[in-house]
Amino acid sequence: MDLFTIGYEGASQPAVIAALKGAGVRTLVDVRDLPLSRRAGFSKKPLSASLAEAGIAYVHLKGLGTPKEGRVANHKGDMALFWHIVEDKLATPEAAHDLARAGGIAGEGPACLLCFEASHEHCHRKRVAELLAGQHGFGIRHLSPDPAF
């Protein structure tokens, strides 16, 4: 079974939902620390409502989100510090709990991890997906609402 990931940077909400539907995703797992966005339609309430209309469940797992200092490091391009902070966060009991929840969700049917960055190479969702793949044997497929990525 595959575990999907997607980033919404530069995308519209309808394009993200279309990519999810096209892949057969049944549950979107939001792995942002704070499920808020300046981009229209990507804060928790409007996103979960639109997903429900499309027949896709929404789950927010805060324990898998990158803390503020990690987001700042990523924004500044300090990727060594960013990945260090991500690894530290994913080693916490809160993250272990939410990894188990995410694994259970993905084991029940097609699921997709959501975060901001368009490229999974610059996003912690790549590492979350790798951990879940290692624990549960999932294949990883990175989706994009923009075919250029």
Side-chain angles (χ1 to χ4, degrees), residues 6 28 51 126:
I6 195 165
L28 181 81
L51 288 167
K126 175 185 175 187

Side-chain angles (χ1 to χ4, degrees), residues 27-71:
T27 304
L28 181 81
V29 179
D30 188 338
V31 294
R32 296 176 292 172
D33 183 52
L34 299 172
L36 304 171
S37 180
R38 293 183 202 150
R39 293 196 54 79
F42 289 102
S43 289
K44 184 176 183 173
K45 286 187 180 185
L47 179 58
S48 63
S50 295
L51 288 167
E53 287 178 16
I56 300 170
Y58 172 91
V59 177
H60 174 235
L61 297 180
K62 179 180 175 60
L64 300 179
T66 302
K68 182 177 181 178
E69 60 272 14
R71 297 189 306 271

Side-chain angles (χ1 to χ4, degrees), residues 35-123:
L36 304 171
S37 180
R38 293 183 202 150
R39 293 196 54 79
F42 289 102
S43 289
K44 184 176 183 173
K45 286 187 180 185
L47 179 58
S48 63
S50 295
L51 288 167
E53 287 178 16
I56 300 170
Y58 172 91
V59 177
H60 174 235
L61 297 180
K62 179 180 175 60
L64 300 179
T66 302
K68 182 177 181 178
E69 60 272 14
R71 297 189 306 271
V72 169
N74 188 319
H75 183 73
K76 289 181 177 179
D78 188 345
M79 298 311 286
L81 179 59
F82 167 73
W83 289 115
H84 176 75
I85 292 168
V86 166
E87 291 298 332
D88 283 352
K89 172 63 184 225
L90 292 175
T92 66
E94 178 186 25
H97 177 264
D98 281 352
L99 278 168
R101 287 184 62 201
I105 291 165
E108 292 174 6
C112 183
L113 307 177
L114 169 96
C115 197
F116 173 72
E117 288 80 6
S119 171
H120 64 276
E121 293 294 336
H122 301 121
C123 183

